[in-house]
Amino acid sequence: MKRTPRPDTLITHAGRTPGDYFGFVNPPVYQGSTVLFPDVAAYKRGDQRYRYGRRGSPTLEALENAISAMEGAAGTVLEPSGLSAIAVALLSCLSSGDNVLVVDTAYKPTRHFCDTILRRMGISTTYYDPLIGADIARLIDGNTRAIFLESPGSLTFEIQDVPAITAVARERGITTIMDNTWATSLYFRPLEHGVDLSLSAATKYIGGHSDIMLGTISADAEHWRALHETHGAMGQHVGPDVAYLGQRGLRTMAVRLRQHHASGLKVAGWLETRPEVERVLHPGLESFPGHALWKRDFTGASGLFSIVMQPGPQEAVAAFIDGLDYFGIGASWGGYESLAVPFDPTSSRTATRWNAAGPAIRLHIGLEDPDDLIADLESGLERWRQAGGGG
Ligand SMILES: *Cc1c(COP(=O)(O)O)cnc(C)c1O
């Protein structure tokens, strides 16, 4: 029997079956809707491996199988975006009349889906403090069917006690769903921490090059059937070119993430020494309140974190960011390039309160030389002060 491969080995080999493709290393891009059957009997039986483009192809399967291996999951479905992964995961376990507990620091469009589509379907959402831990038990009602987690929290990086929450959920027979986009399956394995459905915006680090939109949902054996059924009934499908780019990105994710981890920590540590910066929200820093939990459960950090500035005007934030040479201004992250965006989470929190005196900026540290990024940020802080920012 083969030894259990370590993560770097698994990510290089999982889902690859060159023998099926004349020895070519990567799966071909199967473009297809119709799949032909040899005769009427086979068509009627419908048990052929591939039956229709929407229901799967070797290109899609190669990525699904690789992700399942990385996640330790019974199965994985691909979705056209991270947000559609969130929607399908929630719909796979909720029905009219149910209640779902959603972490207050969830990605903002997750809240929007709950507050619009789920509400219209008669499903109520209760937002909870990301630091709630085992006290989540107090929020569980007779109709609570699912708990949605995202750790670290979007924009503000609170670390949840995932095992404490999933232990309560398992006791009560409640399904848990986790958005694991930030850590990826390399740095946090949700199913090993008791989560039932692990999802990811593969748009970010799996794609890794800012050139695709893609989502994944992986399930344990108990939840796989319901997930697969919901995914299929909703007609969810990812094109073969995108799936191909997803599996290509995946192969180098381990080396890319190591660099994001190291550069991110280096830049975060430097920012922490700057008087203009009031706080650095990076779980890998010892000063961060969630650091101990992060150290217990995660094996690394990716390149995304935030800073809270000393008090200062919005013009100073713009002067800081606009003049940066290597940081683009834009949504999404997880590509090879650095990004900087201002944010204010006040309007997307209801169970907790965001109280920072100064403005906040989210940074994605890409694969540039971190010393060039630090020099770039140093000039930015100079502009911040000249424009009236504190520090
Ligand atoms: C970007 C993001 C998503 C959504 O992914 P898309 O592919 O943009 O739809 C979901 N969750 C988190 C945490 C994200 O950062």
Side-chain angles (χ1 to χ4, degrees):
M1 212 173 93
K2 279 193 182 177
R3 276 163 293 168
T4 309
R6 295 172 177 83
D8 280 34
T9 309
L10 192 58
I11 207 168
T12 319
H13 288 268
R16 291 208 292 111
T17 53
D20 294 344
Y21 323 122
F22 307 98
F24 282 88
V25 168
N26 292 298
V29 177
Y30 280 89
Q31 299 283 2
S33 51
T34 300
V35 180
L36 301 177
F37 294 76
D39 51 35
V40 170
Y43 182 70
K44 283 188 173 170
R45 276 199 313 278
D47 59 359
Q48 189 167 289
R49 180 159 174 201
Y50 302 107
R51 288 165 291 140
Y52 186 48
R54 196 180 65 229
R55 298 309 299 258
S57 73
T59 314
L60 307 192
E61 255 181 39
L63 179 57
E64 289 161 0
N65 291 342
I67 302 281
S68 288
M70 295 293 299
E71 296 273 348
T76 295
V77 293
L78 305 180
E79 304 294 341
S81 68
L83 182 56
S84 59
I86 290 162
V88 169
L90 285 164
L91 291 174
S92 76
C93 60
L94 292 168
S95 304
S96 182
D98 289 348
N99 169 253
V100 57
L101 306 181
V102 174
V103 66
D104 203 35
T105 44
Y107 178 62
K108 197 172 176 183
T110 303
R111 298 178 67 108
H112 182 73
F113 179 77
C114 295
D115 296 344
T116 55
I117 308 284
L118 290 189
R119 174 177 296 174
R120 219 169 68 215
M121 291 172 57
I123 298 163
S124 64
T125 302
T126 306
Y127 293 100
Y128 67 89
D129 186 329
L131 307 182
I132 199 165
D135 279 346
I136 192 117
R138 285 192 285 109
L139 295 182
I140 294 173
D141 264 334
N143 64 339
T144 301
R145 293 279 171 274
I147 301 174
F148 189 97
L149 305 92
E150 179 182 333
S151 182
S154 265
L155 301 171
T156 45
F157 299 90
E158 294 83 352
I159 299 288
Q160 294 192 250
D161 191 338
V162 178
I165 292 173
T166 59
V168 171
R170 296 224 152 181
E171 220 167 80
R172 311 282 186 99
I174 293 168
T175 302
T176 49
I177 306 168
M178 180 165 174
D179 184 334
N180 193 40
T181 302
W182 182 84
T184 83
S185 57
L186 281 170
Y187 290 165
F188 185 84
R189 307 224 316 156
L191 271 55
E192 284 178 3
H193 291 86
V195 172
D196 301 318
L197 296 167
S198 166
L199 68 86
S200 159
T203 304
K204 311 286 168 55
Y205 286 118
I206 293 177
H209 296 74
S210 304
D211 54 1
I212 55 168
M213 303 295 305
L214 178 65
T216 71
I217 318 168
S218 303
D220 66 3
E222 191 187 334
H223 297 82
W224 167 242
R225 269 177 72 94
L227 173 65
H228 190 244
E229 161 58 23
T230 305
H231 165 85
M234 292 187 67
Q236 297 294 95
H237 177 259
V238 167
D241 296 302
V242 167
Y244 181 84
L245 287 172
Q247 77 83 32
R248 187 164 84 161
L250 185 73
R251 302 303 173 198
T252 58
M253 188 168 75
V255 282
R256 285 187 284 109
L257 274 187
R258 272 202 285 280
Q259 192 61 51
H260 287 295
H261 169 107
S263 297
L265 267 176
K266 182 170 190 179
V267 174
W270 176 80
L271 283 164
E272 208 171 27
T273 67
R274 296 293 310 207
E276 301 88 346
V277 178
E278 192 254 321
R279 263 183 287 160
V280 180
L281 310 178
H282 188 308
L285 293 178
E286 275 177 29
S287 60
F288 188 71
H291 179 70
L293 274 183
W294 173 79
K295 218 169 157 179
R296 185 192 71 186
D297 294 345
F298 292 68
T299 55
S302 59
L304 191 77
F305 64 91
S306 293
I307 54 177
V308 178
M309 304 297 291
Q310 298 291 351
Q314 280 304 317
E315 299 82 71
V317 175
F320 178 0
I321 297 176
D322 284 344
L324 294 170
D325 289 327
Y326 300 126
F327 290 79
I329 304 166
S332 207
W333 43 275
Y336 53 82
E337 83 289 11
S338 292
L339 298 167
V341 285
F343 70 90
D344 178 2
T346 312
S347 69
S348 53
R349 304 282 192 266
T350 49
T352 57
R353 187 173 305 202
W354 172 249
N355 47 15
I361 297 169
R362 188 185 71 180
L363 298 173
H364 180 251
I365 301 305
L367 303 179
E368 300 92 342
D369 188 312
D371 289 330
D372 285 332
L373 299 179
I374 287 173
D376 200 14
L377 291 167
E378 191 163 23
S379 309
L381 292 174
E382 176 72 19
R383 288 189 299 277
W384 153 269
R385 267 186 278 112
Q386 276 166 8

